[in-house]
Amino acid sequence: MTVKAAALGALLLSTSLFAQPPVAPSGSQFVTLGTMGGPVPDGRRSQPANAIIRGDNVYLVDAGDGTVGQLGRIGVPLTKVRAVFLSHLHIDHVGGLSAILGLRNQTEARDVLTVYGPPGTQEMVAGLVAALQPSAKAGYGIVGKPWAPPQSLVKVVELADGQTLGVDDFRVSVAQNTHYDFPAGSAEDRVYKSFAYRFDLPDRSIVYTGDTGPSDRVEKLARGADLLVSEMIDIDATLDRVSKVSPNMPPAVKATMTQHLTTHHLTPQAVGELAARAEVKALVVTHLAGGTPGEAPSTAYDIAIHRSFKGPVTIANDLDRF
């Protein structure tokens, strides 16, 4: 076989994996289902969503718009999803949850789905369940009759900073990050939280930063992790994308957005510093709100990250497996 033919065969084999149900791995896999940060959609990347796959069990980590379709591309049926962990309630991270709940209901999923998240998750899920009532009453799912009451198939567990809990055969630890900085003691500060998660699985540890700025709590959470999955912001590219869909944005609004992007997200250099200080073994970068980077930006990101972190770094694409 020629080198060219061998390469083509390898490509076809790789492509066919997306059309077949995944083989149950002997260990844990982390799949970046969606790697595009909001608020502007990208035709080449889905909104933020990830999956931890352990044998036949799947656990979603954020559930942005397009999550159901991305699960379909890797052959994971919704009935395999046991729980959803939401880092925060910005729409780019939760927009796909309605489809997850509704399509599980319509296809007669039997198991209750647990949704873990920050304060406000109960209110949000209650609203989604209410929105499903007309479809559920009309019926015409797989069996052509009214569905089970939507509220009977979902349970919400609201979490708190510093909490640790057991889920099946692994442990989850929670740390409040710095994606929000409401005035201390304000009503917003008491209610709205953004979380990072650590998943201590039987075979390895995975930390997901969620959306965050520099954070001592996230650094502590990530200490010694086998894999750190971190958000990253390219401020100039993100502002450029936003300005194209909102060309008449008032200066005050633009200033507020710039401040948010600067303080509530991590630059490439900050990502590298976090990974180095936490002494993680490998780093995956996601949440590319500026869109799919070309060769030059990707190289610049890599250089900036490696100024501090000397371990392996991957700028994730949708459906990458780690």
Side-chain angles (χ1 to χ4, degrees), residues 26-100:
S26 57
S28 306
Q29 290 191 2
F30 190 94
V31 184
T32 50
L33 297 173
T35 57
M36 178 68 194
V40 182
D42 182 312
R44 292 180 287 176
R45 290 175 182 262
S46 192
Q47 295 279 304
N50 308 275
I52 294 173
I53 300 178
R54 286 192 51 71
D56 285 334
N57 295 329
V58 178
Y59 309 85
L60 296 179
V61 186
D62 279 337
D65 186 35
T67 299
V68 168
Q70 295 295 78
L71 287 172
R73 290 184 68 189
I74 62 170
V76 172
L78 285 173
T79 53
K80 299 293 186 184
V81 178
R82 289 184 54 80
V84 181
F85 295 87
L86 301 177
S87 62
H88 64 298
L89 304 183
H90 277 160
I91 195 65
D92 57 325
H93 291 253
V94 303
L97 186 58
S98 177
I100 293 169

Side-chain angles (χ1 to χ4, degrees), residues 9-312:
L11 175 61
L12 292 173
L13 175 61
S14 174
T15 303
S16 70
L17 291 177
F18 294 112
Q20 301 295 327
V23 175
S26 57
S28 306
Q29 290 191 2
F30 190 94
V31 184
T32 50
L33 297 173
T35 57
M36 178 68 194
V40 182
D42 182 312
R44 292 180 287 176
R45 290 175 182 262
S46 192
Q47 295 279 304
N50 308 275
I52 294 173
I53 300 178
R54 286 192 51 71
D56 285 334
N57 295 329
V58 178
Y59 309 85
L60 296 179
V61 186
D62 279 337
D65 186 35
T67 299
V68 168
Q70 295 295 78
L71 287 172
R73 290 184 68 189
I74 62 170
V76 172
L78 285 173
T79 53
K80 299 293 186 184
V81 178
R82 289 184 54 80
V84 181
F85 295 87
L86 301 177
S87 62
H88 64 298
L89 304 183
H90 277 160
I91 195 65
D92 57 325
H93 291 253
V94 303
L97 186 58
S98 177
I100 293 169
L101 298 179
L103 292 174
R104 288 182 83 254
N105 204 171
Q106 187 175 16
T107 54
E108 290 213 305
R110 300 295 186 184
D111 296 329
V112 174
L113 180 71
T114 303
V115 179
Y116 299 91
T121 301
Q122 181 72 62
E123 179 184 3
M124 181 188 70
V125 171
L128 297 178
V129 166
L132 291 174
Q133 296 298 335
S135 293
K137 292 173 182 176
Y140 289 102
I142 284 182
V143 295
K145 64 181 182 181
W147 309 346
Q151 64 273 20
S152 69
L153 294 178
V154 60
K155 177 178 74 172
V156 173
V157 177
E158 292 190 347
L159 303 172
D161 177 41
Q163 186 171 351
T164 300
L165 63 153
V167 177
D168 292 337
D169 65 345
F170 60 92
R171 296 195 68 76
V172 183
S173 302
V174 184
Q176 184 176 340
N177 60 38
T178 58
H179 191 49
Y180 300 142
D181 62 354
F182 297 111
S186 67
E188 293 85 357
D189 182 55
R190 289 193 298 271
V191 174
Y192 299 113
K193 308 292 182 183
S194 179
F195 291 151
Y197 292 109
R198 181 181 181 118
F199 303 93
D200 283 302
L201 306 157
D203 56 332
R204 60 174 165 156
S205 53
I206 301 172
V207 172
Y208 175 70
T209 67
D211 285 7
T212 184
S215 168
D216 292 340
R217 291 176 179 175
V218 175
E219 180 183 329
K220 181 179 178 181
L221 186 77
R223 180 71 57 189
D226 294 304
L227 183 68
L228 173 64
V229 182
S230 178
E231 73 116 71
M232 188 188 74
I233 191 77
D234 181 328
I235 296 173
D236 291 338
T238 303
L239 287 173
D240 181 63
R241 287 186 63 81
V242 172
S243 67
K244 288 178 180 177
V245 298
S246 303
N248 300 316
M249 182 185 297
V253 175
K254 183 176 182 179
T256 298
M257 174 166 284
T258 302
Q259 187 268 340
H260 167 67
L261 296 177
T262 303
T263 61
H264 301 162
H265 290 279
L266 295 172
T267 63
Q269 182 173 337
V271 171
E273 291 170 353
L274 168 63
R277 288 196 298 266
E279 299 181 335
V280 302
K281 294 180 176 63
L283 172 66
V284 170
V285 175
T286 187
H287 197 271
L288 303 175
T292 301
E295 182 177 350
S298 293
T299 299
Y301 300 158
D302 188 70
I303 291 172
I305 291 169
H306 274 117
R307 288 194 185 105
S308 300
F309 180 63
K310 306 309 178 184

